[in-house]
Amino acid sequence: MIRMTIIMALFVMAGQFAFGQIGGLEYKGRGLELLNEGKTDSAMVYLNQAVLKGVTDGEVLGGLALAYIQKGDAERALEKAVEARKDKQYPSADAYLAGVLAHDAMGNVSQRDRWLDQGLKAFPADYLLLYHAGRIIIPFDSEEGERLLLRSIHAYPAFGSAHILLGENMYRRGENLKAALPLMYYLLLHQDALNSGDVVALIERLYDSWSISKESVSKVSKASKGFTVDYVPTAYTGGPDDKGEWFVAESLALMQSVQTASVSSSDALWIFYSDFYGQLSRLGFDVPMAHHIAYSRYPADAMEWINENAQLYQMLGDWLMVL
């Protein structure tokens, strides 16, 4: 009788442990989803509940590490990241990313670079590791930074920070085509961002300088000329009320020219942009796209066109949703 009672108790305990594990896995899944959505506080609640229910694998701890770094607690983030890296069964890209950002925040450059190198070896296609690798190396090796940012964009095209950082770096390096296309893509993603009007103004300045140099790559640039188009902007000479129309016309002409872009093997990663804008033009979505990005600086003009061509504008949105 005593033996039977012990056996029954063990069955009950085993069942409770199993149910606890199931609950913990559910908390883990929801917590990682919330973290991916940028809801850090809620993600921490769910991930901590997963830990309380016995789920302490590398993915949970890596998620907590990233949550802590997003809350500004680099030391706690690093503690969790170190714990997460010990789990070889459930490795976490978040853990490496949190470690990189934690060491960066604490000024540990050598440790930051070591974590970044190890993270990219373990997760070579992780867009955030690639982005931060590009961000960190750009001041020292602009071409390698360009390559890493392009790899990040190929991995996850909807990450606007990679596009604008790439475009701004190309602009500083004296490029024209390589600056304009990422900046336009950023506006596609973040038409109503606080800096979107400034990005349009930057593209306008680029068009002006490009009209003088008449080269896809600026004459003062030492960059490779492996990605070019025949397009040359027309300098703006009109009044203040016409600048929006000029911006739309030049952006439209640029997008159409990309259909015949020359791309060398050394610049093969730039095919992402030539393919995107080329397809956009072939489908007839270049006109709504030009007005979409113009909205950031010229909302009244853009909305007039959008209201008059609502169906075509909606078709652009539908096409972008399935990319």
Side-chain angles (χ1 to χ4, degrees), residues 162-229:
H163 294 281
I164 193 165
L165 182 58
L166 178 62
E168 290 174 340
N169 183 54
M170 296 298 102
Y171 183 86
R172 285 191 296 269
R173 205 167 76 177
E175 300 269 2
N176 289 323
L177 179 63
K178 285 184 178 181
L181 298 185
L183 293 174
M184 289 167 60
Y185 203 100
Y186 173 80
L187 291 172
L188 166 67
L189 298 171
H190 299 289
Q191 173 202 47
D192 57 352
L194 292 176
N195 67 336
S196 62
D198 294 333
V199 175
V200 171
L202 180 61
I203 297 173
E204 290 176 344
R205 292 195 295 274
L206 187 148
Y207 286 157
D208 282 332
S209 62
W210 192 345
S211 69
I212 297 170
S213 70
K214 303 187 185 304
E215 297 284 346
S216 295
V217 176
S218 171
K219 291 180 180 179
V220 301
S221 173
K222 296 180 181 178
S224 165
K225 295 190 177 183
F227 183 45
T228 59
V229 293

Side-chain angles (χ1 to χ4, degrees), residues 85-164:
R85 287 210 313 176
K86 296 175 183 177
D87 186 350
K88 305 303 180 184
Q89 186 176 2
Y90 295 100
S92 169
D94 288 343
Y96 285 100
L97 178 61
V100 169
L101 297 177
H103 281 300
D104 198 31
M106 293 186 286
N108 302 329
V109 175
S110 61
Q111 288 292 331
R112 177 201 68 189
D113 293 346
R114 185 172 68 86
W115 275 68
L116 190 52
D117 181 62
Q118 292 174 352
L120 285 173
K121 286 178 181 176
F123 299 94
D126 185 83
Y127 78 97
L128 285 173
L129 285 170
L130 289 165
Y131 166 75
H132 285 288
R135 174 185 64 81
I136 289 167
I137 203 171
I138 272 178
F140 310 101
D141 188 340
S142 183
E143 291 187 3
E144 177 63 8
E146 171 189 342
R147 185 181 69 84
L148 289 164
L149 289 174
L150 283 166
R151 285 178 57 195
S152 174
I153 288 163
H154 276 266
Y156 187 51
F159 186 52
S161 297
H163 294 281
I164 193 165

